[in-house]
Each structure stands twice: as structure tokens, then as C-alpha cells.
Amino acid sequence: MAQRAEVVLNDEERETLERWARRPKSSQALAFRCRVVLAAAEGRSSTEIAAELGCTGSTVGKWRGRFARRGIDGLHDEPRPGKPRVISDEDVERVIVKTLEEQPANATHWSTRSMAAATGMSQSAISRIWRAFGLKPHQSEAFKLSPDPQFIDKVRDVVGLYLNPPEAAVVLCVDEKAQIQALDRSAPVLPLMPGVPARQTHDYVRNGTTNLYAALDVASGKVIAEMSPRHRAEEFRRFLNLIDASVPAHLDVHVVLDNSSTHKTPSIQRWLLRHPRFSLHFTPTYSSWLNLVERWFAELTTKWIKRGTHRSVRNLVASIRSWITDWNDKPKPFVWHKTADQILDSLAAYCQRINDSGHWPESASAWSNAATVRRMSSWVVRQLETETRIAGRPSHIVSPIQASPLA
């Protein structure tokens, strides 16, 4: 007769087993094993424990023996080998290299079906590999880097105004939304109904345009606005006069604006000389995202203009003015969070990724097959294993990163 394994628990082990035994999220198998070990620690025989828990004596002996030899780790299931691997390291590397360095003959980018046909693998296998390595051939993003030689200085200047505005001064973000169209649909808009969204025709009738000048107060969120039929330096000068009349005379005015030619004409320069309390802070070229008033323009467009209908310019102007009045009754300032250093670090990291990339597919010469895969980070390995387990594959698949002697 086999000798009964003695179970001795310390305070930490007992607390852990009791918690697992009563925790609702514990699996029933693990909770059962914890109850077996807790009963065995009380000095009870395997027969008594089996009668109480409704199992066989051999089951009790198995788990008390496992705990006596391996402790709490012995209560978990042993890893199972599963089905032999079907996708090799070379197959994974071949798919990744082909995705990055080759182009299909009949398309500008790969799909899961075309890649599966080219490699002889299943579409689901291609999809799992792409997900694990973060490859999305169907997606394309646009970017524009500013060539402004004073980019860094301008970013620090504008962001400094947002995060640390000067005392006895007001910071205004100024820009114009030009050529706002008064659009009317060719048929009446059908209203929203249960189960059916609001519907409108895709075509429209143009009824003229107008231009909106806006100055967003960074601190309060209020907006100074003016509508104009034309977009010239003369209209911008009149808008500056409106700002000058609206801001208390004892406050300096710092204006953040873009590099439009209407902002730099001789007439504007002369106006600034006559109004020394005004200071202009220009954003870098192609960097309108630094101007907070652009966020306010987006709010106006999405909430009021985009789905609105206007049968005349007069109707459009009145509609926009009513929305601005409502906004100023309950203003909501936009809070800037990123520091200049964070913005520049993010841009530097982006430039590092695209450095010397050239135009695809010529960039393939900068990448060797092995280097392409080795540059993937280690988390990809765990993600690939997770995706493989979900798909019913064995969990011990090794990615090319692990297989590489240089990894």
C-alpha cells in the first residue's frame, strides 16, 4: 500500500488556497483541488476526503501528492503538446518578407487571399501572421512634414503660450474658414426613425459662399467672429480692428495664426506698428494642427454645417452667427496637454521610422530578409502564440525572432 503524502501548509499557502477555493472566478477544477489540499492539511485520510467531496480516493491521492512535491504550482494543469506545428518559422518569415518587399502583379498591395495564393498557405494563416506582426497592407496613411527652418522655435513659442500664458495678456488663436458653401439638398431630408437613420441626397445645390474669421480665447473658450464675403488682407485688417475693440485696453494680445499671405501684407504690418500691444506668433508651415481654433472649426463643421441645409448665403450667415452666440453663452475651452519636448520627441521617432525609406518598392533594398523580421519586438512572439492558440494551433509555435541566432 502506497504511503500517504503528508500535506503541511504555511500561513501564506493556506490563505492562497482558501481564496482560490471560494473565489467566483476560479475554475471549478482548481477550486476542487484547493479543497482537497486544505482537507488533507487537517490530517484527514484520503478516504474521508473522497467521501466528503464526492470523488475517488485515487483522485485525492493524486492532488495531495502533487502538492506535497511541487507546492501550489502542482495544482495547475500540465501543458499539453497539442497538434504538431503546420506553419514553420521559414513560412512565417517568407510571408513577412513577401508582404514588405514585393508587390502583387495585379494590385498595389497584398490581400489575405492573394498572399495565400502566392504562398500556398491558408487565408486564415496569413491573417494571423499579419495581425501578430502588425502588418496592414490594406491601410494607407497620409503625412506631411513641415520644411520650416524655424520649426522647433515656432513649436516651442506656440506651445509655450498654451501651457504658460503671459500675465496681463490674452492669447487668441486666429484663423479664417474660407469658402463656406451655402448648400441645399436636391430633395427634402428624410428624418430619423426607429431603425432608420436620417437620409439625404448625395447631390446638392450651391447657393454661394461666405468666409468666417474667428479668434478663439484660449483661456475662456469664447470666440470673436466676423463673416465676410471676401478673403483679403483688407478683411483681415477689419477683423483685427474688431479684436482690438473687443479686448480690454489694458491687456496685451498674443495672436496665434498661420502663414497665409493675407497676414503679412504691408497694410497689416503698418496696422501692427500702430497697435504695439499686438504680438503675432506664426505656426510652422503645414502645421495648422498647432492652432487651437482649428479644433473649434471642426466643432462648427461637424455639429452645424455638415448636415445643415442653407438656401442662401444670408441664411448661412445667420445660421452660423446663431451657433456662435449659443457657443459663447456656454463656452468650452480646449485644453492643450502636450509639451513642446513631447511633440518633438514624437516627431523624431516618426522620422526615425521613415528615414531613408524612399518610395516603395525601391525601399526594399534597405531591408534584408532576416533584418526585417529581427526588428520586430519581442511582444510580437507572445501575440503570435496567442493568436495561434485561438485558432486551434499548438501554443509552442516559435516565431523567426526566437529562431534567429541574433535575436
Side-chain angles (χ1 to χ4, degrees):
M1 183 175 180
Q3 185 177 5
R4 186 177 70 183
E6 295 296 331
V7 175
V8 180
L9 300 176
N10 57 36
D11 293 339
E12 183 179 355
E13 290 175 333
R14 183 179 297 277
E15 191 274 332
T16 300
L17 293 173
E18 291 176 347
R19 187 175 69 253
W20 286 358
R22 65 174 182 268
R23 188 176 61 178
K25 293 185 179 180
S26 296
S27 66
Q28 291 301 309
L30 179 60
F32 169 79
R33 296 162 194 172
C34 292
R35 287 192 287 269
V36 168
V37 174
L38 289 171
E42 297 175 358
R44 299 160 63 182
S45 66
S46 297
T47 304
E48 293 174 345
I49 298 173
E52 178 182 340
L53 299 179
C55 61
T56 63
S58 60
T59 300
V60 175
K62 171 185 175 180
W63 293 112
R64 71 188 300 165
R66 284 267 293 267
F67 183 86
R69 293 190 302 272
R70 298 170 52 188
I72 289 180
D73 291 339
L75 300 182
H76 297 286
D77 290 324
E78 295 283 356
R80 295 176 173 82
K83 181 181 177 181
R85 288 184 60 183
V86 177
I87 302 175
S88 65
D89 295 342
E90 291 75 16
D91 291 332
V92 174
E93 181 175 356
R94 182 160 54 94
V95 170
I96 296 172
V97 172
K98 199 173 188 68
T99 303
L100 294 176
E101 299 187 359
E102 298 182 21
Q103 180 180 357
N106 58 351
T108 59
H109 58 277
W110 291 101
S111 66
T112 54
R113 291 175 176 82
S114 61
M115 180 60 72
T119 58
M121 301 171 63
S122 68
Q123 179 186 350
S124 59
I126 299 298
S127 180
R128 290 197 302 273
I129 294 173
W130 281 356
R131 282 199 304 271
F133 284 84
L135 296 175
K136 301 177 181 180
H138 64 286
Q139 289 188 0
S140 176
E141 295 182 353
F143 74 95
K144 181 65 178 180
L145 298 179
S146 174
D148 196 322
Q150 296 180 321
F151 177 82
I152 295 177
D153 294 335
K154 290 181 178 180
V155 168
R156 295 191 182 280
D157 178 36
V158 174
V159 174
L161 286 176
Y162 294 156
L163 299 181
N164 188 24
E167 296 181 359
V170 60
V171 178
L172 299 177
C173 295
V174 174
D175 202 0
E176 54 273 347
K177 187 174 179 62
Q179 300 296 307
I180 305 175
Q181 299 187 78
L183 302 180
D184 187 18
R185 298 293 160 180
S186 59
V189 177
L190 301 180
L192 172 70
M193 295 187 296
V196 180
R199 292 165 290 173
Q200 59 186 15
T201 58
H202 71 280
D203 56 340
Y204 47 81
V205 179
R206 295 186 179 94
N207 296 304
T209 63
T210 188
N211 303 280
L212 169 63
Y213 288 87
L216 173 70
D217 187 345
V218 173
S220 67
K222 289 189 175 183
V223 173
I224 303 170
E226 184 177 45
M227 311 293 292
S228 172
R230 303 187 67 176
H231 176 215
R232 302 172 302 174
E234 177 64 23
E235 283 73 27
F236 181 63
R237 185 183 62 80
R238 285 203 296 265
F239 184 60
L240 289 177
N241 286 330
L242 175 62
I243 295 176
D244 186 39
S246 303
V247 177
H250 67 281
L251 295 177
D252 291 335
V253 182
H254 293 268
V255 178
V256 176
L257 71 170
D258 61 22
N259 294 273
S260 173
S261 59
T262 59
H263 301 162
K264 300 179 179 180
T265 62
S267 64
I268 299 300
Q269 298 297 329
R270 290 192 296 270
W271 188 95
L272 291 173
L273 291 176
R274 295 193 302 268
H275 300 79
R277 69 169 180 152
F278 276 74
S279 299
L280 302 189
H281 304 261
F282 292 99
T283 61
T285 53
Y286 308 123
S287 301
S288 59
W289 48 270
L290 268 176
N291 198 333
L292 276 178
V293 76
E294 296 290 350
R295 180 63 187 87
W296 182 83
F297 281 147
E299 198 82 357
L300 168 65
T301 302
T302 56
K303 290 187 176 181
W304 197 247
I305 297 177
K306 186 176 181 179
R307 292 175 60 175
T309 57
H310 305 94
R311 297 183 177 181
S312 66
V313 173
R314 179 178 296 181
N315 177 249
L316 173 63
V317 170
S319 176
I320 293 176
R321 283 176 175 167
S322 68
W323 190 87
I324 295 174
T325 300
D326 183 71
W327 172 275
N328 285 332
D329 290 339
K330 298 178 181 178
K332 298 178 181 178
F334 300 102
V335 181
W336 190 274
H337 294 282
K338 290 284 188 179
T339 65
D341 287 337
Q342 289 174 323
I343 294 173
L344 297 175
D345 289 344
S346 177
L347 181 60
Y350 183 79
C351 291
Q352 182 69 28
R353 291 197 300 271
I354 65 174
N355 187 34
D356 296 328
S357 63
H359 289 289
W360 189 90
E362 287 80 357
S363 61
S365 60
W367 296 81
S368 68
N369 291 357
T372 300
V373 179
R374 293 191 197 109
R375 294 188 185 205
M376 303 292 181
S377 56
S378 60
W379 68 267
V380 171
V381 178
R382 298 192 297 272
Q383 190 169 358
L384 179 58
E385 293 174 344
T386 302
E387 294 286 349
T388 307
R389 283 199 298 271
I390 294 175
R393 299 290 185 186
S395 61
H396 57 275
I397 285 182
V398 179
S399 81
I401 297 176
Q402 294 171 310
S404 171
L406 300 180

